[in-house]
Amino acid sequence: MMDPPADSSSIDSPLANSGSIQCPRPMSDYPRVVMAHGGGGRMTQELLEHVFLRALDNPALNEREDAALLKPMHGRWAFSTDAYVVQPLFFPGGCIGDLAIHGTVNDLAMRGAKPLAISAAFILEEGLDIETLKSIVDAMATAAKRVGVSVVAGDTKVVEKGHGDGCYIATSGIGEVREGIDLSIRHAKPGDAIVINGNLGDHGMAILSHRAGMQFASPIVSDTAPLYELVAAMLGTCPEVRCLRDPTRGGAAAALYEIASAAKVGIELDEAAIPVHAAVHSACELFGLDPLAVANEGKVIAIVPDGSVDRVLHAMKSHQLGQYATRIGRVVADASHRVVMRTRLGTVRMIPIPVGEQLPRIC
């Protein structure tokens, strides 16, 4: 990061000399975002060229048209939109840039869709360091390349200093669902198994502990990751998977209540089977949080016919993001659509549905 200039007017003004009308200085002379970067003129074009097109280069984006033209799709379309306001912008395990790609890809993957294209809108706060912005966009480009998706359209706006928080990103994504795949939270049935691909609560507690400046013997790192390849492996083995859900805000508890309500069933979890990293468990106890209600950004909950669960778990464990996959419960008949947990003591307790956002600004 660069130190603030002694005379901020020499940086913040798009004119080299405020007493006369002159051409804007070259992009390299602006270490921070200024209002003129959002004006649509030369400085906007320089920002696009030196920051966004440099990293996100692809034919559709490089056309610089008002809308990207995409190739025809042969299956059904899946479409999703999301926004990212995480604070801090960089956190253990990731940043707002790769998080925006992963979150969009994962929403598409939950319907079994192969991601094809993403749009991204950046809302930048005046004064944001240009090198910080480049790092965010580079992380986005790396994440998109990893999953094989292109950022084909975008927009950039700049708001006055004090009216934003560095950088917000809004995305939309489109994907293709092949024939034979029909995932819906309404498809869960009594007797189905509930599986997950790994530990709960990593992302939310990585953000919270980083904000609080707390360190644990074992570092807590966000699980942010793209899930499509894991989902494809699951569906390739067992296309009859009922539904998938990524437990982001509100955690697994909120996701399971959404499934129970939509399918008009109940959910019964096994406390001994719930995977939680020891450091995350300690952090949750310290902050008075339930790991089931803490957000994740690289986890998928799957509802699977009981007879297919072994095949699905085998497919998940063969993938890096599913090596710790496990069965955590079952779907039951329940007219009240409750989510309950069978404890290690053999008792049953109700899992409360999250009412509000316990951990704001985590995605």
Side-chain angles (χ1 to χ4, degrees):
M1 301 284 183
M2 298 185 64
D3 294 330
D7 179 7
S8 61
S9 64
S10 66
I11 292 296
D12 294 341
S13 173
L15 300 180
N17 185 334
S18 60
S20 62
I21 299 178
Q22 299 181 10
C23 294
R25 295 194 301 269
M27 175 74 184
S28 59
D29 287 356
Y30 290 91
R32 295 177 182 81
V33 171
V34 298
M35 292 302 298
H37 282 131
R42 178 186 295 180
M43 292 189 66
T44 299
Q45 297 307 312
E46 290 182 349
L47 187 69
L48 293 178
E49 292 173 2
H50 292 282
V51 176
F52 296 102
L53 295 176
R54 171 193 60 86
L56 301 173
D57 176 68
N58 66 77
L61 190 64
N62 290 340
E63 288 182 350
R64 303 199 195 187
E65 299 283 0
D66 282 346
L69 297 181
L70 306 179
K71 295 180 180 180
M73 286 189 284
H74 304 292
R76 289 167 294 156
W77 291 17
F79 183 78
S80 179
T81 191
D82 212 335
Y84 301 89
V85 296
V86 64
Q87 188 57 225
L89 298 176
F90 294 83
F91 48 83
C95 73
I96 192 173
D98 50 30
L99 180 65
I101 296 294
H102 296 161
T104 308
V105 167
N106 292 349
D107 283 346
L108 295 171
M110 295 307 102
R111 298 305 301 270
K114 178 181 180 180
L116 299 178
I118 290 175
S119 69
F122 285 74
I123 296 88
L124 308 176
E125 183 184 20
E126 180 185 19
L128 175 69
D129 192 282
I130 292 291
E131 291 303 316
T132 296
L133 178 59
K134 285 183 177 180
S135 296
I136 291 170
V137 177
D138 285 346
M140 175 178 278
T142 299
K145 183 177 181 180
R146 175 184 174 186
V147 78
V149 68
S150 296
V151 178
V152 299
D155 188 34
T156 304
K157 295 293 190 296
V158 179
V159 297
E160 294 88 348
K161 190 172 184 62
H163 289 258
D165 207 351
C167 175
Y168 301 147
I169 303 175
T171 60
S172 291
I174 190 168
E176 185 176 25
V177 184
R178 65 180 175 85
E179 293 301 322
I181 300 301
D182 185 20
L183 300 171
S184 172
I185 57 176
R186 292 167 177 78
H187 291 171
K189 298 179 180 179
D192 287 346
I194 305 170
V195 302
I196 193 166
N197 63 313
N199 293 326
L200 290 173
D202 290 356
H203 177 73
M205 296 317 298
I207 298 290
L208 185 57
S209 60
H210 186 60
R211 285 180 190 165
M214 301 182 64
Q215 296 183 349
F216 297 86
S218 180
I220 301 177
V221 178
S222 170
D223 62 341
T224 178
L227 293 169
Y228 172 70
E229 290 182 356
L230 174 62
V231 168
M234 296 165 64
L235 296 177
T237 297
C238 182
E240 62 269 24
V241 169
R242 310 280 196 211
C243 77
L244 303 173
R245 201 71 164 182
D246 57 337
T248 53
R249 285 179 299 171
L256 291 169
Y257 265 105
E258 290 170 351
I259 294 170
S261 176
K264 303 187 185 310
V265 296
I267 301 290
E268 183 180 286
L269 302 176
D270 179 3
E271 183 179 31
I274 304 294
V276 180
H277 191 279
V280 171
H281 187 272
S282 297
C284 284
E285 286 191 334
L286 186 63
F287 288 107
L289 299 172
D290 185 343
L292 285 171
V294 178
N296 314 267
E297 289 292 348
K299 296 298 180 291
V300 53
I301 293 174
I303 307 297
V304 181
D306 187 67
S308 304
V309 68
D310 289 339
R311 285 188 290 132
V312 171
L313 285 174
H314 179 75
M316 295 173 77
K317 290 180 179 181
S318 67
H319 191 279
Q320 181 182 4
L321 295 179
Q323 56 184 315
Y324 300 113
T326 188
R327 179 173 181 163
I328 61 172
R330 63 193 182 106
V331 179
V332 298
D334 182 357
S336 298
H337 316 148
R338 295 171 297 180
V339 177
V340 301
M341 178 179 287
R342 190 166 295 279
T343 70
R344 291 182 174 86
L345 299 176
T347 60
V348 175
R349 72 175 179 91
M350 178 85 76
I351 301 298
I353 183 171
V355 177
E357 192 170 21
Q358 292 180 312
L359 305 176
R361 306 290 301 281
I362 57 172
C363 62

